[in-house]
Amino acid sequence: MERGRMIRAAVLSFAGVCALPYAIKMGGQPLAFTNSVGSVFWFLGFSLCLYKALGASFSGTWKKWAWPGILGLGFSFCMVIGKNLDEKESVPFDDPGMWAAILVLAVLTGILVRYVWDSFACSRKNRKNPEGLQIAKDEKRGAFYFAGMIFLLYIPVFLAVYPGFFVYDAQDELLQVMTRNFTTHHPLVHVLALGGMIQLVHKLTGSYNMGIACYTLFQMAVLAGIFGWCIGKLRSRGMKKGYCFLWAAYFGLCPVLVMFSLCSAKDGLFAGMLLAVTMFLSKLLREPEVFFSQRKNSVLLGSFALLMMLLRHNGFYAFGAAALCLILAFRILVPLKKYWKRVLLFLAVILAVYGGVHKGMILLFSADDSENQEILTVPISQLARVYQSKGEQDVEILYRYLPKEALSHYTPKVTDGVKIHFNNQAYAADRGSFWRLWAKWGMENPFSYVNAWLMTSYGFWYPDTVIDVYRGNTVFTFTYEDSSYFGYEVEEPGTRESKFPWLSELYRKLSLEIFQQRIPVVSMLFSPGFLFWVWAFCLCFWCYQARPEKVLPYLPIVFCYLTVLLGPTYLVRYVVYLWAALPALLAEFDN
């Protein structure tokens, strides 16, 4: 028995080591791995882990392998496909070795994941929370305390990058307020808040920097308040005080969260609202009777959900999809069944109010609502990629919607340079021709279409990529080179007035250089792809444990993530909520 387990572990480990070059970067030199003593260490490591895992008693039916199998297959697929995209900008779908490597790594990963999950579940089976709800009274006081702590931690960086990071569409949003010429390209709520506050302070003080600084401080206060409130909620559920201080330090010092708490882009506020929605949904699913007995819970959840949807257009699609799933869950799950009609009405009212407010703001401010390119990002990138290979053949219809000059700006990792020139008038007059052309070229070039889509999204799920999508683009104060991690600059009419140049320089390196990517392990803490797999590991574990009350609150985040896969490129700003909601996710393991 022992010898047989040893042989199986060795065979699987050897197959895994042979498959590994398909999943990790070799710099174009596979001999650097295959003809290296490093491969021996990988083999020994795999063998030891698999030997122990294969010796475990995997109880239950084959269905218990479903979630480990899904996670293992997904991880191996994304690592192998992502490596090809990162190195070659395309996937060799006809390579049998690639598919064999995916299969081998999926089996190996699935076994190890099941072993880890079972071991963890066994170690937590008899654990009890000694503090219980005795600390619930400290929730409000703790929320203010931790919010203040987080805000104070922001202040040195704020002074270092004063008046804040005025970047990512900030100038365009301010210009809309200045000219009273509004569009729905950017959410009107954010346009009015950002532009209105800056304009008001400028009129009072004559300083645009002061206006930008006031908006930055306002956003810092809002996010610090939400983060502190989140810690207070987790404390009331039994989180130890030491962990509360740890998470407060995380919220106040994590560079990703600091960047977007001090950034004029809507992404930071959106992440905060999404976190608040998640916390309230958790309460709704855990204690529906208590939730509905206190009217403030419904009001606050509705308000945060409304703001979330108004701050990003994809927030509506994400919340709408999550609402449907939640209604089904309340209809099906026995402990929640008697509340399903109340939940149906409650969520329907939230979505209806959003629709009314959104349309009302468009009418009130006479905003131009004719743009379509944001929802056509993937088809536009697919047509542009095929156009590069087809040249001038069969392009008369394409030129109606995308001029030749726009198509010349196509780059595989970002669609912005093409879609900005999309002819919305032509599309409104004749949508059918666009979609017939898209379908025709898709049937002729299916792999080009798949590669075009994957190239704009793989950074969200492939941990090892460097975010350099804007390489070569010149903005106000610099040209993007090795990294496009964060915008960093202050767009006109603002100017940088750093009080701590050394700290400002640190954030410049984090934003525009491959500074953090040079540090092993630490680099992964900045990777959207790595954060995605942390989330996938945790949520799949709760699915494996059949704990829907732990998974369902995170559905808005899951659906938000799915919407960004259809976006123009992969940037940290689109998934800041993966960092913002991480403490809430990991705290589930203490409950």
Side-chain angles (χ1 to χ4, degrees), residues 154-165 258 262 488 490 495-508:
Y154 287 159
I155 293 298
V157 183
F158 169 70
L159 295 174
V161 301
Y162 184 87
F165 299 112
V258 174
L262 275 66
Y488 174 74
V490 179
T495 56
R496 169 82 19 93
E497 298 177 8
S498 176
K499 316 303 179 185
F500 303 123
W502 65 270
L503 187 53
S504 177
E505 176 63 13
L506 173 62
Y507 272 85
R508 188 196 67 78

mmCIF file of all heavy atoms in Angstrom, residues 154-165 258 262 488 490 495-508:
data_model
loop_
_atom_site.group_PDB
_atom_site.id
_atom_site.type_symbol
_atom_site.label_atom_id
_atom_site.label_comp_id
_atom_site.label_asym_id
_atom_site.label_seq_id
_atom_site.Cartn_x
_atom_site.Cartn_y
_atom_site.Cartn_z
ATOM 1 N N TYR A 154 -3.814 57.740 6.212
ATOM 2 C CA TYR A 154 -3.828 58.284 4.853
ATOM 3 C C TYR A 154 -3.107 59.635 4.754
ATOM 4 O O TYR A 154 -2.607 60.006 3.682
ATOM 5 C CB TYR A 154 -5.269 58.501 4.372
ATOM 6 C CG TYR A 154 -6.047 57.260 4.033
ATOM 7 C CD1 TYR A 154 -7.446 57.290 4.018
ATOM 8 C CD2 TYR A 154 -5.419 56.069 3.708
ATOM 9 C CE1 TYR A 154 -8.185 56.165 3.701
ATOM 10 C CE2 TYR A 154 -6.159 54.940 3.391
ATOM 11 C CZ TYR A 154 -7.532 54.990 3.384
ATOM 12 O OH TYR A 154 -8.264 53.882 3.070
ATOM 13 N N ILE A 155 -3.096 60.383 5.851
ATOM 14 C CA ILE A 155 -2.655 61.781 5.800
ATOM 15 C C ILE A 155 -1.226 61.951 5.269
ATOM 16 O O ILE A 155 -0.973 62.821 4.409
ATOM 17 C CB ILE A 155 -2.787 62.442 7.193
ATOM 18 C CG1 ILE A 155 -4.273 62.568 7.571
ATOM 19 C CG2 ILE A 155 -2.131 63.817 7.209
ATOM 20 C CD1 ILE A 155 -5.092 63.439 6.636
ATOM 21 N N PRO A 156 -0.224 61.175 5.726
ATOM 22 C CA PRO A 156 1.131 61.373 5.182
ATOM 23 C C PRO A 156 1.199 61.207 3.667
ATOM 24 O O PRO A 156 1.896 61.969 2.984
ATOM 25 C CB PRO A 156 1.958 60.297 5.902
ATOM 26 C CG PRO A 156 1.211 60.019 7.164
ATOM 27 C CD PRO A 156 -0.226 60.153 6.805
ATOM 28 N N VAL A 157 0.473 60.211 3.122
ATOM 29 C CA VAL A 157 0.483 60.015 1.670
ATOM 30 C C VAL A 157 -0.245 61.163 0.984
ATOM 31 O O VAL A 157 0.190 61.644 -0.074
ATOM 32 C CB VAL A 157 -0.156 58.663 1.294
ATOM 33 C CG1 VAL A 157 -0.083 58.435 -0.214
ATOM 34 C CG2 VAL A 157 0.514 57.516 2.027
ATOM 35 N N PHE A 158 -1.338 61.631 1.585
ATOM 36 C CA PHE A 158 -2.050 62.772 1.024
ATOM 37 C C PHE A 158 -1.134 63.984 0.908
ATOM 38 O O PHE A 158 -1.103 64.674 -0.122
ATOM 39 C CB PHE A 158 -3.267 63.101 1.891
ATOM 40 C CG PHE A 158 -3.923 64.411 1.567
ATOM 41 C CD1 PHE A 158 -4.614 64.586 0.383
ATOM 42 C CD2 PHE A 158 -3.832 65.485 2.441
ATOM 43 C CE1 PHE A 158 -5.212 65.801 0.075
ATOM 44 C CE2 PHE A 158 -4.425 66.702 2.156
ATOM 45 C CZ PHE A 158 -5.120 66.862 0.965
ATOM 46 N N LEU A 159 -0.361 64.261 1.964
ATOM 47 C CA LEU A 159 0.564 65.396 1.917
ATOM 48 C C LEU A 159 1.688 65.155 0.913
ATOM 49 O O LEU A 159 2.170 66.091 0.264
ATOM 50 C CB LEU A 159 1.150 65.642 3.311
ATOM 51 C CG LEU A 159 0.134 66.080 4.384
ATOM 52 C CD1 LEU A 159 0.807 66.151 5.748
ATOM 53 C CD2 LEU A 159 -0.488 67.428 4.014
ATOM 54 N N ALA A 160 2.082 63.896 0.774
ATOM 55 C CA ALA A 160 3.166 63.572 -0.157
ATOM 56 C C ALA A 160 2.749 63.764 -1.609
ATOM 57 O O ALA A 160 3.566 64.153 -2.450
ATOM 58 C CB ALA A 160 3.642 62.135 0.061
ATOM 59 N N VAL A 161 1.475 63.489 -1.918
ATOM 60 C CA VAL A 161 1.021 63.579 -3.312
ATOM 61 C C VAL A 161 0.020 64.722 -3.481
ATOM 62 O O VAL A 161 -0.756 64.737 -4.436
ATOM 63 C CB VAL A 161 0.400 62.248 -3.767
ATOM 64 C CG1 VAL A 161 1.409 61.123 -3.656
ATOM 65 C CG2 VAL A 161 -0.860 61.900 -2.963
ATOM 66 N N TYR A 162 0.019 65.680 -2.565
ATOM 67 C CA TYR A 162 -0.928 66.789 -2.576
ATOM 68 C C TYR A 162 -1.017 67.401 -3.983
ATOM 69 O O TYR A 162 -0.002 67.617 -4.637
ATOM 70 C CB TYR A 162 -0.467 67.860 -1.574
ATOM 71 C CG TYR A 162 -1.418 69.016 -1.439
ATOM 72 C CD1 TYR A 162 -2.478 68.957 -0.540
ATOM 73 C CD2 TYR A 162 -1.280 70.149 -2.225
ATOM 74 C CE1 TYR A 162 -3.363 70.021 -0.421
ATOM 75 C CE2 TYR A 162 -2.161 71.214 -2.119
ATOM 76 C CZ TYR A 162 -3.201 71.144 -1.224
ATOM 77 O OH TYR A 162 -4.088 72.193 -1.108
ATOM 78 N N PRO A 163 -2.241 67.660 -4.461
ATOM 79 C CA PRO A 163 -3.548 67.639 -3.786
ATOM 80 C C PRO A 163 -4.279 66.294 -3.891
ATOM 81 O O PRO A 163 -5.465 66.209 -3.583
ATOM 82 C CB PRO A 163 -4.323 68.697 -4.569
ATOM 83 C CG PRO A 163 -3.798 68.575 -5.966
ATOM 84 C CD PRO A 163 -2.339 68.248 -5.816
ATOM 85 N N GLY A 164 -3.594 65.240 -4.340
ATOM 86 C CA GLY A 164 -4.217 63.933 -4.541
ATOM 87 C C GLY A 164 -3.955 63.468 -5.959
ATOM 88 O O GLY A 164 -3.333 64.166 -6.762
ATOM 89 N N PHE A 165 -4.411 62.286 -6.272
ATOM 90 C CA PHE A 165 -4.230 61.740 -7.619
ATOM 91 C C PHE A 165 -5.426 62.162 -8.474
ATOM 92 O O PHE A 165 -6.482 61.541 -8.439
ATOM 93 C CB PHE A 165 -4.129 60.211 -7.563
ATOM 94 C CG PHE A 165 -2.965 59.708 -6.764
ATOM 95 C CD1 PHE A 165 -3.165 59.050 -5.562
ATOM 96 C CD2 PHE A 165 -1.656 59.887 -7.207
ATOM 97 C CE1 PHE A 165 -2.101 58.570 -4.821
ATOM 98 C CE2 PHE A 165 -0.582 59.415 -6.470
ATOM 99 C CZ PHE A 165 -0.801 58.754 -5.279
ATOM 100 N N VAL A 258 -4.689 52.671 -0.636
ATOM 101 C CA VAL A 258 -4.310 54.075 -0.427
ATOM 102 C C VAL A 258 -4.371 54.837 -1.752
ATOM 103 O O VAL A 258 -4.899 55.951 -1.822
ATOM 104 C CB VAL A 258 -2.905 54.174 0.184
ATOM 105 C CG1 VAL A 258 -2.460 55.632 0.262
ATOM 106 C CG2 VAL A 258 -2.882 53.552 1.574
ATOM 107 N N LEU A 262 -7.154 57.960 -2.419
ATOM 108 C CA LEU A 262 -6.680 59.311 -2.684
ATOM 109 C C LEU A 262 -6.781 59.677 -4.158
ATOM 110 O O LEU A 262 -6.221 60.674 -4.597
ATOM 111 C CB LEU A 262 -5.231 59.474 -2.230
ATOM 112 C CG LEU A 262 -4.988 59.820 -0.759
ATOM 113 C CD1 LEU A 262 -5.417 58.671 0.153
ATOM 114 C CD2 LEU A 262 -3.513 60.119 -0.519
ATOM 115 N N TYR A 488 -0.983 57.837 -11.139
ATOM 116 C CA TYR A 488 -0.065 58.602 -10.301
ATOM 117 C C TYR A 488 -0.168 60.123 -10.468
ATOM 118 O O TYR A 488 -0.133 60.854 -9.489
ATOM 119 C CB TYR A 488 1.390 58.177 -10.548
ATOM 120 C CG TYR A 488 2.403 59.027 -9.802
ATOM 121 C CD1 TYR A 488 2.570 58.876 -8.433
ATOM 122 C CD2 TYR A 488 3.151 59.995 -10.447
ATOM 123 C CE1 TYR A 488 3.475 59.662 -7.729
ATOM 124 C CE2 TYR A 488 4.059 60.788 -9.761
ATOM 125 C CZ TYR A 488 4.215 60.626 -8.405
ATOM 126 O OH TYR A 488 5.097 61.405 -7.715
ATOM 127 N N VAL A 490 -1.058 64.257 -11.560
ATOM 128 C CA VAL A 490 -2.112 65.246 -11.337
ATOM 129 C C VAL A 490 -2.378 65.918 -12.685
ATOM 130 O O VAL A 490 -1.536 66.633 -13.213
ATOM 131 C CB VAL A 490 -1.696 66.304 -10.293
ATOM 132 C CG1 VAL A 490 -2.807 67.338 -10.111
ATOM 133 C CG2 VAL A 490 -1.369 65.650 -8.967
ATOM 134 N N THR A 495 -1.843 70.781 -10.043
ATOM 135 C CA THR A 495 -0.381 70.618 -10.097
ATOM 136 C C THR A 495 0.079 69.933 -8.805
ATOM 137 O O THR A 495 -0.472 70.186 -7.725
ATOM 138 C CB THR A 495 0.358 71.966 -10.246
ATOM 139 O OG1 THR A 495 -0.036 72.834 -9.169
ATOM 140 C CG2 THR A 495 0.042 72.621 -11.578
ATOM 141 N N ARG A 496 1.087 69.088 -8.909
ATOM 142 C CA ARG A 496 1.597 68.376 -7.738
ATOM 143 C C ARG A 496 2.408 69.332 -6.865
ATOM 144 O O ARG A 496 3.279 70.058 -7.345
ATOM 145 C CB ARG A 496 2.459 67.204 -8.229
ATOM 146 C CG ARG A 496 3.286 66.478 -7.217
ATOM 147 C CD ARG A 496 2.633 65.414 -6.382
ATOM 148 N NE ARG A 496 1.397 64.822 -6.803
ATOM 149 C CZ ARG A 496 1.275 63.707 -7.523
ATOM 150 N NH1 ARG A 496 2.332 63.064 -7.932
ATOM 151 N NH2 ARG A 496 0.081 63.231 -7.828
ATOM 152 N N GLU A 497 2.102 69.334 -5.559
ATOM 153 C CA GLU A 497 2.826 70.144 -4.576
ATOM 154 C C GLU A 497 3.189 69.244 -3.402
ATOM 155 O O GLU A 497 2.600 69.331 -2.321
ATOM 156 C CB GLU A 497 1.976 71.333 -4.108
ATOM 157 C CG GLU A 497 1.611 72.312 -5.210
ATOM 158 C CD GLU A 497 0.707 73.427 -4.723
ATOM 159 O OE1 GLU A 497 0.494 73.515 -3.492
ATOM 160 O OE2 GLU A 497 0.193 74.185 -5.555
ATOM 161 N N SER A 498 4.135 68.372 -3.591
ATOM 162 C CA SER A 498 4.465 67.359 -2.594
ATOM 163 C C SER A 498 5.108 67.973 -1.353
ATOM 164 O O SER A 498 6.015 68.804 -1.451
ATOM 165 C CB SER A 498 5.413 66.315 -3.197
ATOM 166 O OG SER A 498 5.807 65.377 -2.228
ATOM 167 N N LYS A 499 4.650 67.529 -0.194
ATOM 168 C CA LYS A 499 5.244 67.944 1.073
ATOM 169 C C LYS A 499 6.302 66.941 1.540
ATOM 170 O O LYS A 499 7.174 67.287 2.333
ATOM 171 C CB LYS A 499 4.168 68.074 2.169
ATOM 172 C CG LYS A 499 2.894 68.777 1.726
ATOM 173 C CD LYS A 499 3.142 70.179 1.182
ATOM 174 C CE LYS A 499 1.819 70.818 0.740
ATOM 175 N NZ LYS A 499 2.020 72.140 0.088
ATOM 176 N N PHE A 500 6.192 65.713 1.055
ATOM 177 C CA PHE A 500 7.168 64.657 1.368
ATOM 178 C C PHE A 500 7.621 64.004 0.061
ATOM 179 O O PHE A 500 7.088 62.943 -0.316
ATOM 180 C CB PHE A 500 6.567 63.600 2.301
ATOM 181 C CG PHE A 500 6.036 64.132 3.589
ATOM 182 C CD1 PHE A 500 4.714 63.913 3.956
ATOM 183 C CD2 PHE A 500 6.851 64.861 4.450
ATOM 184 C CE1 PHE A 500 4.213 64.402 5.144
ATOM 185 C CE2 PHE A 500 6.361 65.350 5.651
ATOM 186 C CZ PHE A 500 5.042 65.130 6.001
ATOM 187 N N PRO A 501 8.571 64.604 -0.635
ATOM 188 C CA PRO A 501 8.973 64.088 -1.955
ATOM 189 C C PRO A 501 9.418 62.626 -1.934
ATOM 190 O O PRO A 501 9.173 61.896 -2.893
ATOM 191 C CB PRO A 501 10.129 65.014 -2.358
ATOM 192 C CG PRO A 501 9.871 66.282 -1.603
ATOM 193 C CD PRO A 501 9.280 65.855 -0.301
ATOM 194 N N TRP A 502 10.060 62.185 -0.860
ATOM 195 C CA TRP A 502 10.539 60.803 -0.822
ATOM 196 C C TRP A 502 9.387 59.808 -0.841
ATOM 197 O O TRP A 502 9.469 58.746 -1.483
ATOM 198 C CB TRP A 502 11.402 60.583 0.426
ATOM 199 C CG TRP A 502 10.651 60.722 1.727
ATOM 200 C CD1 TRP A 502 10.487 61.868 2.456
ATOM 201 C CD2 TRP A 502 9.939 59.687 2.422
ATOM 202 N NE1 TRP A 502 9.726 61.614 3.579
ATOM 203 C CE2 TRP A 502 9.379 60.288 3.580
ATOM 204 C CE3 TRP A 502 9.737 58.327 2.199
ATOM 205 C CZ2 TRP A 502 8.621 59.561 4.506
ATOM 206 C CZ3 TRP A 502 8.986 57.603 3.116
ATOM 207 C CH2 TRP A 502 8.434 58.217 4.247
ATOM 208 N N LEU A 503 8.267 60.155 -0.145
ATOM 209 C CA LEU A 503 7.107 59.272 -0.131
ATOM 210 C C LEU A 503 6.381 59.329 -1.470
ATOM 211 O O LEU A 503 5.880 58.310 -1.963
ATOM 212 C CB LEU A 503 6.167 59.678 1.009
ATOM 213 C CG LEU A 503 4.970 58.764 1.290
ATOM 214 C CD1 LEU A 503 5.418 57.319 1.491
ATOM 215 C CD2 LEU A 503 4.189 59.269 2.497
ATOM 216 N N SER A 504 6.340 60.502 -2.057
ATOM 217 C CA SER A 504 5.752 60.635 -3.391
ATOM 218 C C SER A 504 6.532 59.795 -4.403
ATOM 219 O O SER A 504 5.943 59.147 -5.277
ATOM 220 C CB SER A 504 5.753 62.106 -3.820
ATOM 221 O OG SER A 504 5.264 62.256 -5.131
ATOM 222 N N GLU A 505 7.840 59.780 -4.274
ATOM 223 C CA GLU A 505 8.681 58.989 -5.181
ATOM 224 C C GLU A 505 8.419 57.500 -5.018
ATOM 225 O O GLU A 505 8.423 56.743 -6.003
ATOM 226 C CB GLU A 505 10.153 59.301 -4.911
ATOM 227 C CG GLU A 505 11.157 58.468 -5.712
ATOM 228 C CD GLU A 505 11.069 58.675 -7.208
ATOM 229 O OE1 GLU A 505 10.411 59.644 -7.654
ATOM 230 O OE2 GLU A 505 11.661 57.856 -7.953
ATOM 231 N N LEU A 506 8.166 57.064 -3.790
ATOM 232 C CA LEU A 506 7.842 55.649 -3.566
ATOM 233 C C LEU A 506 6.572 55.267 -4.315
ATOM 234 O O LEU A 506 6.532 54.226 -4.990
ATOM 235 C CB LEU A 506 7.669 55.388 -2.069
ATOM 236 C CG LEU A 506 7.165 53.988 -1.690
ATOM 237 C CD1 LEU A 506 8.148 52.918 -2.129
ATOM 238 C CD2 LEU A 506 6.907 53.895 -0.184
ATOM 239 N N TYR A 507 5.552 56.109 -4.237
ATOM 240 C CA TYR A 507 4.305 55.801 -4.938
ATOM 241 C C TYR A 507 4.468 55.930 -6.446
ATOM 242 O O TYR A 507 3.784 55.234 -7.213
ATOM 243 C CB TYR A 507 3.170 56.691 -4.419
ATOM 244 C CG TYR A 507 2.493 56.064 -3.229
ATOM 245 C CD1 TYR A 507 3.003 56.231 -1.940
ATOM 246 C CD2 TYR A 507 1.377 55.260 -3.386
ATOM 247 C CE1 TYR A 507 2.406 55.623 -0.846
ATOM 248 C CE2 TYR A 507 0.767 54.643 -2.294
ATOM 249 C CZ TYR A 507 1.295 54.832 -1.030
ATOM 250 O OH TYR A 507 0.704 54.211 0.051
ATOM 251 N N ARG A 508 5.361 56.804 -6.885
ATOM 252 C CA ARG A 508 5.635 56.874 -8.329
ATOM 253 C C ARG A 508 6.247 55.566 -8.812
ATOM 254 O O ARG A 508 5.870 55.035 -9.869
ATOM 255 C CB ARG A 508 6.584 58.035 -8.645
ATOM 256 C CG ARG A 508 6.765 58.304 -10.148
ATOM 257 C CD ARG A 508 7.977 59.160 -10.440
ATOM 258 N NE ARG A 508 9.219 58.440 -10.122
ATOM 259 C CZ ARG A 508 9.757 57.506 -10.919
ATOM 260 N NH1 ARG A 508 9.184 57.180 -12.054
ATOM 261 N NH2 ARG A 508 10.878 56.912 -10.569
#
